[in-house]
Amino acid sequence: AQSVTQLGSHVSVSEGALVLLRCNYSSSVPPYLFWYVQYPNQGLQLLLKYTTGATLVKGINGFEAEFKKSETSFHLTKPSAHMSDAAEYFCAVRPEQTSGSRLTFGEGTQLTVNP
Amino acid sequence: DGGITQSPKYLFRKEGQNVTLSCEQNLNHDAMYWYRQDPGQGLRLIYYSQIVNDFQKGDIAEGYSVSREKKESFPLTVTSAQKNPTAFYLCASSAVVVSNQPQHFGDGTRLSIL
């Protein structure tokens, strides 16, 4: 069985500061990993995904994430926060060798950006 | 543009009433999902379907029912047996054959009790 842990349910940064949102997973087989963003009263939007190949993945809105197998982590970063980045962020995992497409989501991290 | 349409955006339920949430997709995806979202609890899977006329229970299926008569449609019924239905409900779809593909989400339905 796979699980996802997002460290910190709330993260607050200043505008222009580094954003770091943490995600650790447990999976018995190599996983596929995803980060989603959710703005208030909206659905989830895909930020980026890791499947195979390069471990540093670039996504939309200047976000990127690095897959570290030895640390079972997939942390999301952005060098300089904008006010528009304030939202909730979800990490999700699917083991590579499973058929079908069911995802397991973390509990989410609410990002606040202060002016 | 292809996407997922959920309706209505807001829904109110009376005691003892069943209500149905609509989800339609034009992405030609085989798989569809229903999630429930409560504050601080992330997304919990209610039901999912990987092919027409077939569906499986997720983690919190009690008090809910679904049907999948068409590839494009996956309606969710919240029955009177669901004693705490107030939540934000999200529908998603994905191409099931290739499991590295992400799920795509609708904009949700917020259900409240009158």
Side-chain angles (χ1 to χ4, degrees), chain A residues 29-81:
Chain A
V29 297
Y32 296 129
L33 294 155
F34 306 84
W35 273 102
Y36 286 86
V37 61
Q38 184 182 32
Y39 298 100
N41 294 312
Q42 293 186 22
L44 275 66
Q45 179 183 1
L46 181 70
L47 277 175
L48 49 80
K49 67 177 182 179
Y50 169 78
T51 55
T52 57
T55 56
L56 182 63
V57 180
K58 294 188 183 299
I60 63 171
N61 301 340
F63 284 94
E64 62 183 33
E66 186 172 10
F67 171 61
K68 292 187 176 181
K69 185 177 179 180
S70 61
E71 298 178 8
T72 61
S73 69
F74 191 55
H75 301 332
L76 182 70
T77 61
K78 182 174 180 178
S80 176

Side-chain angles (χ1 to χ4, degrees), chain B residues 15 22 40 56 58-59 71-72 88 105 109 111:
Chain B
E15 290 288 338
S22 172
Q56 290 79 40
D59 301 319
K71 187 176 183 177
E72 300 80 15
F88 191 51
F105 285 81
T109 293
L111 176 61

Side-chain angles (χ1 to χ4, degrees), chain A residues 1-4 31-36 44-46 48-51 90-96 98-106, chain B residues 31-35 42-48 50 58-59 92-96 98-105:
Chain A
Q2 66 274 14
S3 67
V4 179
Y32 296 129
L33 294 155
F34 306 84
W35 273 102
Y36 286 86
L44 275 66
Q45 179 183 1
L46 181 70
L48 49 80
K49 67 177 182 179
Y50 169 78
T51 55
F90 293 93
C91 181
V93 63
R94 177 190 305 136
E96 178 181 330
T98 55
S99 62
S101 52
R102 177 173 173 167
L103 288 175
T104 299
F105 286 86
Chain B
M32 297 187 74
Y33 314 80
W34 274 106
Y35 293 92
L43 278 70
R44 293 184 289 169
L45 184 64
I46 305 172
Y47 270 98
Y48 64 107
Q50 298 187 119
D59 301 319
S93 71
S94 68
V96 70
V98 183
S99 63
N100 65 358
Q101 293 303 304
Q103 292 181 8
H104 298 257
F105 285 81

Side-chain angles (χ1 to χ4, degrees), chain B residues 4-5 9 14 17 20 25 38 50 57-59 64 66 71 79-80 83-84 90 98 100-101 105-106:
Chain B
I4 300 175
T5 301
K9 191 166 181 65
K14 297 179 181 178
Q17 185 181 44
T20 297
Q25 56 100 359
D38 297 278
Q50 298 187 119
K57 293 182 178 180
D59 301 319
Y64 300 97
V66 293
K71 187 176 183 177
T79 74
S80 58
K83 297 307 179 187
N84 182 25
L90 287 163
V98 183
N100 65 358
Q101 293 303 304
F105 285 81

